[in-house]
Amino acid sequence: MSDILSGKTVAVTASRRAEEQAGAFERAGAQVLVAPTVRIVKTEDDAALLDETRQVIASPPDMLLVATGYGLKSWFEAVEKAGLKEELSRALEQTAFYVRGAKGRGAVRGLGYKDSGIAEIETTESLVELALAVGVQGKTVVLQQHGQPDPALTRRLEEAGAVVIQVHPNRWAQPAEPEKAERLIDAVLAGEIDIITFTAAPAFEAMLNRAAQRNQRQALVEALKRITVAAVGPVTAEPMEKLDIAPIVPERSRMGAMIKAVLARFERGL
């Protein structure tokens, strides 16, 4: 227990591991408001995901780009549930796996494969850059998407001569309790929040979109500039920085590192 955040109110916008975040901040003395602004939905029962998987089986890929370890594991869980595990495993026997970060590498190894490289920066853009540097001309490339895909990255691979198959193990959806997201916006606008954390860019964008529906988007942006905003990594921080919001960003894109960075900021009295 500590009192680093005594008298502070922290808002947690995550849909996954939110209670873990809340517990860490509460142990530091903060009051915590948990208000997910989006929700990750597994699509294990989605016929589209199984159709994508059958495309991979029919066209054994040369490369598989792993955007997230969570997404890769979700995909393989869905494949096993659908009875396609053996067929997919055969299709991936000669596939080179490239990963975005350490969690992706761990997931690949946990499934019994080895990766052939890791992105320089933990972003999907950097992962695509790695694939382009290796060379994709004439190759079949599977891009495992996560949440809200960026079509521009798929186009870059295709323009470089790749045949791209996308798989979407997860998607973003409205939060289970949208009224909490509404109350969060009210609290930020009223100056009742001292710190707000984001572990995904779509969570930030969804909050802005919700405020825009209330004709309060710019007011929310200005309010966020007056409080401490924390982003789990550079991808999450990017849309904030474009609006001149300067979030705390840890050196490692991990939730625990983000929490430590926030505590360090307040421990120094900043």
Side-chain angles (χ1 to χ4, degrees):
M1 297 289 289
S2 72
D3 60 357
I4 295 171
L5 298 181
S6 178
K8 305 295 183 185
T9 299
V10 181
V12 173
T13 64
S15 61
R16 291 181 60 239
R17 300 175 66 192
E19 296 305 324
E20 190 176 336
Q21 264 199 77
F25 289 125
E26 286 169 348
R27 287 191 293 274
Q31 295 291 317
V32 179
L33 170 64
V34 176
T37 55
V38 290
R39 172 171 56 103
I40 297 176
V41 180
K42 286 188 178 182
T43 54
E44 60 184 20
D45 296 319
D46 191 341
L49 176 60
L50 299 183
D51 284 344
E52 291 166 348
T53 302
R54 292 186 180 97
Q55 288 180 49
V56 176
I57 291 169
S59 302
D62 300 289
M63 304 171 73
L64 195 161
L65 308 185
V66 180
T68 63
Y70 178 73
L72 184 70
K73 288 187 283 188
S74 296
W75 179 27
F76 274 70
E77 287 169 7
V79 166
E80 185 166 14
K81 182 177 178 181
L84 296 172
K85 183 179 179 181
E86 287 187 16
E87 292 176 73
L88 181 60
S89 296
R90 284 196 297 271
L92 298 177
E93 284 178 353
Q94 304 299 318
T95 301
F97 287 70
Y98 293 88
V99 301
R100 192 177 84 167
K103 287 191 175 181
R105 172 169 279 173
V108 168
R109 292 177 178 177
L111 291 168
Y113 299 96
K114 291 183 179 180
D115 67 271
S116 298
I118 188 168
E120 185 176 342
I121 304 169
E122 198 167 327
T123 66
T124 304
E125 182 177 7
S126 183
L127 176 61
V128 169
E129 292 282 359
L130 173 60
L132 293 171
V134 171
V136 299
Q137 175 67 43
K139 294 182 179 179
T140 298
V141 178
V142 173
L143 177 56
Q144 173 253 309
Q145 298 281 15
H146 179 73
Q148 199 169 51
D150 183 350
L153 296 180
T154 305
R155 285 197 301 272
R156 289 189 65 193
L157 290 168
E158 291 173 338
E159 288 168 359
V163 175
V164 180
I165 301 172
Q166 299 183 68
V167 293
H168 301 77
N170 312 109
R171 58 182 170 82
W172 296 108
Q174 288 293 317
E177 299 176 283
E179 66 278 5
K180 289 187 176 180
E182 296 287 348
R183 288 201 295 271
L184 171 59
I185 293 172
D186 291 337
V188 172
L189 292 173
E192 297 169 358
I193 302 297
D194 301 289
I195 304 161
I196 186 167
T197 67
F198 295 92
T199 55
F204 174 72
E205 290 159 352
M207 187 179 181
L208 288 188
N209 291 340
R210 192 173 289 275
Q213 292 169 8
R214 300 164 38 157
N215 295 317
Q216 293 177 315
R217 185 182 188 278
Q218 192 56 40
L220 179 63
V221 169
E222 295 305 318
L224 289 170
K225 291 178 183 179
R226 295 192 291 270
I227 66 177
T228 298
V229 179
V232 76
V235 173
T236 303
E238 184 178 2
M240 304 172 195
E241 292 167 345
K242 288 180 178 178
L243 295 170
D244 294 325
I245 296 169
I248 296 172
V249 184
E251 290 185 8
R252 296 177 66 249
S253 299
R254 298 287 180 271
M255 186 187 76
M258 178 186 70
I259 293 168
K260 288 179 181 178
V262 171
L263 296 180
R265 171 75 62 88
F266 281 84
E267 196 168 27
R268 295 194 302 269
L270 299 176

